[in-house]
Amino acid sequence: MRDQEDGRLSEEELVGTAMMLVVAGHESTVHLLGNSVLALLRHPEQLRLLRERPELVPGAVEEFLQHDTSVERSTSRYAAWDLELGGVPIPRGSMVVVALGSAGHDAPQADGGEVPAALDVTRHAPRHLSFGHGIHYCLGASLARLEATIALRTLLSRVPELEAAAPLDSLDWIGSGIIRGVLSLPVRYRIG
């Protein structure tokens, strides 16, 4: 393999990495956008605020990532040694799965002591693990943020009247456990 000789990825590793980036980047971003629009439909005052102040959109993307992330949990990891995490003993070799969607929802972690579960597109730098952390941090995080910012700005500027076309509590959700999002989000709109 070339990576042992000169540090480059093998053909198999390169193809696998490229496929993972396309699939993971597409699915997670699609559902980030769907979850964001759903949150705005559920909170029309926040939708109105973003329309009035489009400069808030990049920060709002961070809020959407914290509020209802599209990547609900990490892939499986295994403890390399015995440890204790949050008072729970984890023996070496045990499988560990991180609930990424729950990060940042505890009051001590919210900025300014605000209620983290409430959607607030004016909140500054909410803490979330939507893109992972450390060596497992998402390679496509910057691209996902940019795509979401552009898509939401475009939607808000081009579709001034957007509303749900089905009861929001009747939507069907993906059942995979890793990706979180609705199977479809029926909307009605009128272009101004």
Side-chain angles (χ1 to χ4, degrees), residues 39-137:
L40 290 172
L41 292 172
R42 285 183 169 155
H43 301 278
E45 75 288 351
Q46 298 294 298
L47 175 59
R48 188 171 37 261
L49 183 58
L50 277 184
R51 281 208 170 98
E52 292 168 0
R53 298 181 56 199
E55 72 276 7
L56 293 175
V57 171
V61 168
E62 296 302 316
E63 177 69 4
F64 296 131
L65 286 162
Q66 184 272 331
H67 180 73
D68 192 8
T69 186
S70 61
V71 181
E72 191 165 38
R73 68 173 177 84
S74 71
T75 54
S76 300
R77 308 278 193 266
Y78 296 89
W81 54 82
D82 292 340
L83 67 129
E84 187 174 303
L85 186 61
V88 176
I90 300 173
R92 180 179 184 264
S94 295
M95 183 171 45
V96 177
V97 176
V98 178
L100 301 170
S102 67
H105 282 267
D106 50 343
Q109 296 297 318
D111 77 352
E114 299 170 18
V115 179
L119 182 67
D120 180 359
V121 296
T122 65
R123 194 185 329 252
H124 296 290
R127 296 178 61 154
H128 60 77
L129 292 177
S130 295
F131 294 120
H133 183 72
I135 64 169
H136 297 288
Y137 191 75

